[in-house]
Amino acid sequence: MKFFIDTANLNDIKEAKDLGILDGVTTNPSLMAKEKITGKSAIFAHYKAICDIVEDGDVSAEVIATDFDGIIKEGLELAKISDNIVVKVPMIKDGIKAISWFTANDIRTNCTLVFSAGQAILAAKAGATYLSPFVGRVDDITWDGIQLIEEIAGIYSMQGYMTEILAASIRTPLHIVQAAKAGADVVTCPLSSIMGLLNHPLTDIGLQKFLEDHNKGNK
Ligand code: E4P
């Protein structure tokens, strides 16, 4: 399973990159706004900075347009920033039409705001490179986001669809483990969830004991 970080914060991206486990970055308009990156030229420069940090990883950059012509125009501009860019397109009618167009023109896409297996089938038929079902937001309305990943993984495997399942809206380290078990190809999560995978009290207790014993014998 690939690890993407879900942020536009350059320090968090650098920290994940330094761990040596980073395969890419996902952003969205809310994450860009959180970093106070506004205006087309600043947003494009920020994407370039992200691409430079991840080097050979994929970077999802989301279009703002919601009509076919607008999505194509923006997507082409975003794709020109760097080879790392994957154009992130919302799961709407013109979005699916645009994903089909991008697929035919060798431009990679991430179909976002996915909440059902039916939407997942449409995106795969259009040739999306990645599909982003939002696990946490499904959980927020007391449905089961991980079950959705499992359902889509079953369909994609049975039908031989090549689209990679990118479990998004991940909120906890447990979500990461569950997404891996459910068959996600990629997980995108905040740095806190990635770091949370490190924690186990028995690791801390064991390490403390090893160091104490070493120090006793090496006085
Ligand atoms: C990623 O591609 C999504 O934009 C993101 O994971 C959404 O996460 P949220 O539900 O925590 O905002």
Side-chain angles (χ1 to χ4, degrees):
M1 186 173 74
K2 289 190 252 182
F3 264 64
F4 288 0
I5 189 167
D6 194 25
T7 185
N9 182 283
L10 299 183
N11 290 330
D12 283 4
I13 296 169
K14 276 183 202 137
E15 200 171 333
K17 174 72 180 170
D18 286 348
L19 279 178
I21 51 90
L22 190 66
D23 298 302
V25 177
T26 52
T27 61
N28 63 38
S30 304
L31 292 171
M32 292 299 261
K34 195 172 162 194
E35 299 306 316
K36 304 196 177 5
I37 312 295
T38 54
K40 188 174 167 181
S41 59
I43 289 172
F44 275 46
H46 201 72
Y47 281 136
K48 180 74 176 80
I50 293 173
C51 292
D52 289 347
I53 297 171
V54 301
E55 295 171 352
D56 55 357
D58 289 345
V59 175
S60 286
E62 189 158 342
V63 297
I64 303 299
T66 54
D67 64 291
F68 176 76
D69 291 339
I71 294 172
I72 299 300
K73 182 174 178 282
E74 252 185 79
L76 287 173
E77 288 173 354
L78 288 167
K80 270 195 204 131
I81 296 173
S82 160
D83 288 344
N84 306 70
I85 294 287
V86 175
V87 180
K88 203 171 176 190
V89 181
M91 165 47 76
I92 53 175
K93 187 178 168 191
D94 279 31
I96 288 297
K97 198 172 154 188
I99 289 171
S100 301
W101 189 92
F102 286 131
T103 304
N105 287 278
D106 291 326
I107 291 169
R108 295 179 306 144
T109 52
N110 174 356
C111 182
T112 189
L113 289 165
V114 170
F115 295 92
S116 77
Q119 292 178 325
I121 291 171
L122 259 188
K125 287 294 289 178
T129 314
Y130 294 108
L131 177 90
S132 290
F134 279 28
V135 173
R137 292 193 197 186
V138 173
D139 286 359
D140 287 344
I141 57 160
T142 69
W143 288 0
D144 189 337
I146 293 297
Q147 202 174 54
L148 176 63
I149 301 290
E150 238 172 60
E151 188 183 9
I152 297 169
I155 294 170
Y156 276 17
S157 144
M158 191 181 298
Q159 298 296 333
Y161 291 141
M162 300 306 288
T163 298
E164 290 187 56
I165 303 167
L166 194 169
S169 186
I170 291 290
R171 306 269 170 81
T172 63
L174 179 60
H175 267 159
I176 298 177
V177 174
Q178 290 173 323
K181 284 163 75 177
D185 300 291
V186 190
V187 73
T188 190
C189 34
L191 185 64
S192 58
S193 298
I194 299 175
M195 291 306 184
L197 293 174
L198 287 166
N199 299 334
H200 200 293
L202 291 180
T203 304
D204 300 339
I205 292 166
L207 181 60
Q208 193 184 352
K209 179 83 171 83
F210 284 158
L211 294 179
E212 279 168 12
D213 289 346
H214 170 83
N215 290 339
K216 271 185 225 157
N218 290 277
K219 271 190 181 158

